[in-house]
Amino acid sequence: MTHFKSQVFLILNELPSGECIGYGELAKQAGFPGYARQVGHLMKNLPKDSKLPWHRVVNSQRKISFAENTDAYWQQRHKLESEGWIIVGNKLTLNEFDQKEER
């Protein structure tokens, strides 16, 4: 496994339930700023039985990147909603915990 891949997977595996990260931010935290597309490629090519929380990776506008008419979109949306995210269209809003913290 390459260093890039192992670093991305390590950081993603540590991301707690209810939190999301952008492709670019994940690349940056892994030590590879500017590798957002490569992170997307890794997420897209995960084995179907992967235990990594791939669904917590979204784009920089906090949007689901899959087209809305795909199974992958609905799978990611369902997983995020089950962790407390509110999704309007394809954009994540603050989850209930975050909304309480802001008050």
Side-chain angles (χ1 to χ4, degrees):
M1 184 181 305
T2 67
H3 181 65
F4 169 71
K5 189 176 182 180
S6 62
Q7 287 300 109
V8 168
F9 289 172
L10 178 68
I11 292 165
L12 181 57
N13 196 48
E14 297 294 320
L15 193 65
S17 177
E19 289 188 24
C20 286
I21 192 167
Y23 296 99
E25 182 59 28
L26 181 52
K28 183 178 174 183
Q29 286 186 23
F32 293 86
Y35 278 60
R37 287 181 188 258
Q38 289 84 348
V39 169
H41 184 65
L42 284 177
M43 297 301 103
K44 181 180 176 183
N45 292 301
L46 284 173
K48 291 199 186 272
D49 62 348
S50 174
K51 302 293 186 210
L52 286 171
W54 62 269
H55 62 282
R56 296 181 187 147
V57 184
V58 295
N59 72 24
S60 61
Q61 289 85 40
R62 267 193 163 163
K63 292 182 179 178
I64 296 172
S65 294
F66 294 109
E68 286 187 43
N69 61 346
T70 63
D71 289 339
Y73 169 86
W74 290 106
Q75 184 179 19
Q76 184 173 15
R77 182 178 176 133
H78 174 74
K79 287 178 178 240
L80 290 168
E81 287 173 335
S82 73
E83 292 184 359
W85 286 97
I86 299 165
I87 302 171
V88 178
N90 67 345
K91 186 171 184 173
L92 283 68
T93 61
L94 294 174
N95 62 28
E96 292 176 23
F97 177 78
D98 288 338
Q99 290 173 349
K100 289 176 188 171
E101 288 286 312
E102 280 192 347
R103 292 183 191 147

